[in-house]
Amino acid sequence: METKQITIKDIAQKAGVAVSTVSRVLNGKDRVSPETRQRVQQIIDEYDYVQNAAAVSVVKRKTNMIGVIIPEIQNPFNASIVYGVDKVCKTRGYNICVFSTDDKVADEERLIRSVVSPLVDGIIAITCTDGRIYLGGRKPVVLVDRGLGADDFDEVVIDNMGGMHRACDYLIKKGHRKIAYISGPLEFTTGLGRLQGFRSCMEEHGIPIDEDNVYVGDWFVADGRRATQKILERNSAGAGVTAILCSNNLICKGCIEVLHEAKVAIGEDISLLGFDENDLVHYTTPKITYVARPTYEMGEKAAEMLLEKIASEKSYLGQKMVMRTRLIEQGSVKDLNRK
Amino acid sequence: METKQITIKDIAQKAGVAVSTVSRVLNGKDRVSPETRQRVQQIIDEYDYVQNAAAVSVVKRKTNMIGVIIPEIQNPFNASIVYGVDKVCKTRGYNICVFSTDDKVADEERLIRSVVSPLVDGIIAITCTDGRIYLGGRKPVVLVDRGLGADDFDEVVIDNMGGMHRACDYLIKKGHRKIAYISGPLEFTTGLGRLQGFRSCMEEHGIPIDEDNVYVGDWFVADGRRATQKILERNSAGAGVTAILCSNNLICKGCIEVLHEAKVAIGEDISLLGFDENDLVHYTTPKITYVARPTYEMGEKAAEMLLEKIASEKSYLGQKMVMRTRLIEQGSVKDLNRK
DNA sequence: CTGTTAGCGCATTCAG
DNA sequence: CTGAATGCGCTAACAG
């Protein structure tokens, strides 16, 4: 805009004091006589003056801003994590600002290096990188959801393996043996841990895994659809799969859609267990049993850890917080024991 | 972190040149001999130096950052708008950073005044305020979705009235007369325009509106549920409503849920028409007919307008872009004419 | 082509 | 309690 910015100098002049005095009332913590304070404050209000944040942060080396890096703003789970972060930060006088990387490694690195890092006091990231960009001289960071497992990183993750183990165990206890598993990519602990949870559970129960029943794809609805179609094909050829285990919300959604379209009765003709909530799990008849993640709490926890790092000026707290999942039992898993 | 920031001065010293020379290679646009440029660049790379953005923006009065204000990060429609904004901004060398206001007027005003405005070159906002905060000496702004209609604001909105008019017309053409309308709050043009579209259409067709069939609540699922329950109650007392018109996605979702739970066959026992997409509209049988908004394109358009404002340094372009809606015809509206 | 200098808007000594 | 002076990291004339 064309209107010239009004500065601390203008205020000082109009109030008939020195800039340092204005600075004092602005920052509140120094001694100023009540009268001058009031007079200055009045001018400030009158002209609706606010400090130039950039200038402040040059000299203070502090922005009171937390950067939040997420892969995808369209995924409600990321949104929920952000919400938790925001809540905690706000109560501690920090603002957050959100950056989306589109799950592109190069974008995230560029963003961190030249935009976010210089702008914020700390970073909370659901990263798609190997984490190297966050190391060495940059701002304090806490990783959420996608942990790297490596040292030097403080993380808030969920017990992917345990959660899926529990889910698989539930299926087995209900009498299922031929279980199809639809996995996401295996490059992060999220995908890998869940698959391991499935495998280890089957093994513990002495049930051999038919590798044809393990489908590995991406995290999206289309992948869930594709895998489910194959499962149905194989079943009509006599594969005999009685239950499907989905490794995330979108995959599960695709799975539901295909079963629905094929008029396969969930919880009757075939059982289904999902990982993460989605809009459909509460709408189907019967509703879908799924593993719930405490997304909001993950955000809160991550924020608390980050603020602690900032306050303590430690580059590494050595905290890897693992949050528990919960199995939300609804009606999509048939009990084969009592027919 | 404890590692001291490395500055332009350090680079200059190590390269054996003046800071201005380093500044020149950094900004690229000034003449520097190839040899010195290379030498300096090498030092920069070696030390992984990046400029202190705050300092740059103090002197340049430019941050290359666009602030995006949304009421609610959890709503996929906002996310979609943001996505469109991001796409355009990225190609023009701007970064965006997203702030969520929780639909709280005070929060938005505080955020704008002391955080966003000082930090960005321009603002795109889905505002819950009366817009006053954006006026007078602050940064250029383009309002999206929630237009204020007032002069002085550049806006990208949809034709709420026309969209709902069209939807209502569709119902009437299909033979519906007793139509229930579930409205959101009427403080913004979004809610108001849609209701007016409904009213004017009914009027044009000479159909009197039974005010008991107009439900005004908030924008959420719970409001849709509540209204739908009342509609069903009244219908079982003989009200004879044949179609429900929902004014947004969440209301529609609540409506679908209640109908589903009550085992009322959509498109058969009662017809339904929604405004905005939601996860359920494509899942139900039959699928839900709804009015679609071009959210992504709204974001793109808003970004283009904002960048133009910034470039032209005009505080008001005088543009009020109204985007068209589309009626997505699926199967949830019964044709009463041919039974 | 390159170095010197003067600010940008502000917080913070240090005197008074 | 208050003002004058210094410098934060950087860019932009202005000389050379």
Side-chain angles (χ1 to χ4, degrees):
Chain A
M1 323 283 267
E2 54 291 339
T3 45
K4 208 180 67 199
Q5 180 176 190
I6 154 166
T7 75
I8 196 174
K9 209 183 288 179
D10 302 319
I11 300 295
Q13 189 183 340
K14 292 186 200 301
V17 295
V19 288
S20 51
T21 302
V22 179
S23 178
R24 284 187 182 96
V25 349
L26 246 22
N27 296 302
K29 49 184 139 191
D30 225 335
R31 281 165 259 292
V32 184
S33 81
E35 303 88 62
T36 50
R37 171 178 302 278
Q38 194 190 348
R39 184 153 43 90
V40 171
Q41 188 60 52
Q42 192 179 322
I43 306 279
I44 289 174
D45 292 341
E46 182 180 338
Y47 287 85
D48 197 21
Y49 165 76
V50 299
Q51 290 147 288
N52 179 323
V56 173
S57 83
V58 172
V59 42
K60 277 201 177 174
R61 280 102 192 269
K62 188 108 173 68
T63 64
N64 274 299
M65 183 104 76
I66 299 298
V68 181
I69 305 288
I70 59 179
E72 236 262 288
I73 198 168
Q74 311 234 35
N75 189 323
F77 283 86
N78 296 332
S80 176
I81 289 173
V82 172
Y83 197 71
V85 172
D86 194 35
K87 207 61 174 283
V88 169
C89 287
K90 253 179 193 148
T91 66
R92 308 270 220 93
Y94 281 86
N95 286 108
I96 74 167
C97 96
V98 181
F99 298 86
S100 176
T101 64
D102 260 335
D103 243 329
K104 302 220 178 72
V105 175
D107 279 19
E108 180 172 340
E109 292 183 339
R110 184 190 62 80
L111 215 54
I112 288 298
R113 180 185 307 272
S114 51
V115 181
V116 183
S117 257
L119 185 75
V120 302
D121 293 337
I123 298 170
I124 288 176
I126 302 175
T127 187
C128 58
T129 71
D130 58 11
R132 222 177 307 162
I133 187 69
Y134 293 102
L135 257 28
R138 296 196 195 285
K139 297 297 166 62
V141 62
V142 171
L143 301 183
V144 194
D145 191 34
R146 297 182 185 167
L148 260 28
D151 278 354
D152 302 348
F153 285 109
D154 295 301
E155 305 175 340
V156 176
V157 297
I158 60 157
D159 180 10
N160 288 293
M161 194 162 116
M164 192 55 92
H165 187 287
R166 170 99 180 72
C168 181
D169 190 63
Y170 178 83
L171 289 179
I172 294 172
K173 293 253 169 69
K174 292 282 186 184
H176 296 272
R177 291 295 175 271
K178 298 202 172 181
I179 301 172
Y181 184 89
I182 311 182
S183 173
L186 302 174
E187 19 183 344
F188 295 111
T189 51
T190 41
L192 209 53
R194 290 171 204 175
L195 180 56
Q196 286 171 341
F198 167 67
R199 286 194 187 281
S200 66
C201 183
M202 293 288 274
E203 201 168 316
E204 285 166 24
H205 284 275
I207 305 171
I209 296 174
D210 178 354
E211 290 301 331
D212 288 342
N213 281 334
V214 178
Y215 299 83
V216 179
D218 216 328
W219 286 122
F220 304 121
V221 172
D223 304 284
R225 293 189 63 98
R226 206 171 301 127
T228 306
Q229 274 151 359
K230 289 222 186 90
I231 292 169
L232 292 182
E233 276 172 32
R234 292 196 67 232
N235 254 14
S236 57
V241 166
T242 62
I244 302 175
L245 203 44
C246 296
S247 61
N248 93 332
N249 54 343
L250 299 181
I251 288 172
C252 182
K253 200 172 158 193
C255 180
I256 293 172
E257 285 177 8
V258 169
L259 294 178
H260 190 252
E261 288 158 16
K263 303 215 185 306
V264 175
I266 295 174
E268 192 54 45
D269 301 339
I270 202 160
S271 292
L272 174 60
L273 203 159
F275 205 96
D276 272 353
E277 209 169 350
N278 68 53
D279 271 2
L280 297 184
V281 300
H282 298 297
Y283 181 73
T284 54
T285 318
K287 297 180 178 178
I288 310 296
T289 295
Y290 66 99
V291 176
R293 294 196 293 175
T295 47
Y296 177 81
E297 290 79 5
M298 290 167 73
E300 286 185 317
K301 204 68 211 169
E304 283 163 12
M305 281 171 57
L306 182 63
L307 296 183
E308 188 187 333
K309 284 182 83 160
I310 293 173
S312 70
E313 297 192 340
K314 284 186 195 152
S315 66
Y316 179 46
L317 290 177
Q319 288 191 10
K320 297 208 189 301
M321 171 83 45
V322 178
M323 317 267 303
R324 296 196 50 168
T325 58
R326 281 185 314 140
L327 186 69
I328 307 296
E329 191 174 354
Q330 302 202 93
S332 64
V333 176
K334 187 177 185 180
D335 188 345
L336 298 181
N337 300 318
R338 44 167 142 161
K339 31 191 138 188
Chain B
M1 324 283 268
E2 54 291 339
T3 47
K4 207 180 69 200
Q5 179 176 192
I6 154 165
T7 77
I8 195 174
K9 209 182 288 178
D10 301 319
I11 300 295
Q13 188 183 342
K14 292 186 200 301
V17 296
V19 289
S20 51
T21 303
V22 179
S23 178
R24 283 186 184 99
V25 349
L26 246 23
N27 296 305
K29 52 182 137 191
D30 226 335
R31 289 166 257 290
V32 184
S33 80
E35 304 88 63
T36 50
R37 172 178 299 280
Q38 195 190 348
R39 185 154 41 89
V40 171
Q41 188 60 52
Q42 191 178 321
I43 305 279
I44 288 174
D45 293 341
E46 183 180 337
Y47 287 85
D48 196 22
Y49 165 76
V50 301
Q51 292 147 286
N52 179 323
V56 173
S57 83
V58 172
V59 43
K60 278 202 177 172
R61 283 104 191 264
K62 188 109 172 69
T63 64
N64 274 297
M65 183 104 76
I66 300 296
V68 181
I69 304 289
I70 59 178
E72 237 262 287
I73 198 168
Q74 312 236 34
N75 189 325
F77 283 86
N78 297 332
S80 176
I81 289 174
V82 171
Y83 197 70
V85 172
D86 193 36
K87 206 62 171 283
V88 170
C89 287
K90 252 179 195 149
T91 67
R92 308 270 220 92
Y94 281 86
N95 286 108
I96 73 168
C97 98
V98 180
F99 298 86
S100 177
T101 63
D102 260 337
D103 244 328
K104 303 223 178 70
V105 175
D107 278 19
E108 182 173 339
E109 292 184 340
R110 184 190 62 80
L111 215 53
I112 288 298
R113 181 186 307 271
S114 51
V115 181
V116 184
S117 255
L119 184 74
V120 302
D121 293 336
I123 298 171
I124 288 177
I126 303 176
T127 186
C128 59
T129 71
D130 59 11
R132 221 177 308 162
I133 187 71
Y134 293 100
L135 257 27
R138 295 198 195 284
K139 298 296 167 65
V141 62
V142 171
L143 301 182
V144 194
D145 191 36
R146 297 183 186 167
L148 260 29
D151 278 354
D152 301 349
F153 285 109
D154 294 300
E155 305 176 339
V156 175
V157 297
I158 59 157
D159 180 11
N160 288 293
M161 195 161 116
M164 192 56 92
H165 188 286
R166 169 99 180 72
C168 181
D169 189 64
Y170 178 83
L171 288 179
I172 294 173
K173 293 253 168 68
K174 292 283 185 182
H176 295 272
R177 292 295 174 273
K178 298 203 172 179
I179 301 171
Y181 184 89
I182 310 181
S183 173
L186 302 174
E187 17 182 347
F188 296 111
T189 51
T190 41
L192 210 55
R194 289 170 204 176
L195 181 56
Q196 286 170 342
F198 167 67
R199 286 195 187 282
S200 66
C201 183
M202 293 288 273
E203 202 168 317
E204 284 165 24
H205 284 274
I207 304 171
I209 296 174
D210 178 354
E211 291 301 332
D212 287 341
N213 282 334
V214 177
Y215 299 83
V216 179
D218 216 328
W219 287 122
F220 303 120
V221 171
D223 303 284
R225 293 188 63 97
R226 206 171 301 126
T228 307
Q229 273 152 359
K230 290 223 187 90
I231 292 168
L232 292 182
E233 276 172 33
R234 291 196 67 232
N235 255 14
S236 56
V241 165
T242 63
I244 302 175
L245 203 43
C246 296
S247 60
N248 92 332
N249 55 343
L250 298 182
I251 287 173
C252 181
K253 199 171 158 193
C255 181
I256 293 172
E257 285 177 8
V258 168
L259 293 178
H260 190 250
E261 288 159 15
K263 303 213 186 307
V264 175
I266 295 174
E268 192 52 46
D269 302 338
I270 202 160
S271 291
L272 173 61
L273 203 159
F275 206 97
D276 273 354
E277 211 169 350
N278 68 52
D279 270 2
L280 298 184
V281 299
H282 298 298
Y283 181 75
T284 55
T285 317
K287 296 178 178 180
I288 309 296
T289 295
Y290 66 99
V291 176
R293 294 195 294 174
T295 46
Y296 178 81
E297 290 79 7
M298 291 167 73
E300 284 184 317
K301 203 70 212 167
E304 281 162 14
M305 282 171 57
L306 182 63
L307 296 183
E308 187 187 333
K309 284 182 81 161
I310 292 173
S312 70
E313 297 193 338
K314 284 185 193 151
S315 67
Y316 179 47
L317 290 178
Q319 289 191 11
K320 297 207 189 302
M321 171 83 44
V322 179
M323 317 264 308
R324 295 193 51 168
T325 58
R326 283 185 313 140
L327 186 69
I328 307 295
E329 192 174 351
Q330 303 203 96
S332 64
V333 176
K334 186 178 186 177
D335 189 345
L336 297 181
N337 300 319
R338 46 167 141 163
K339 33 190 135 188

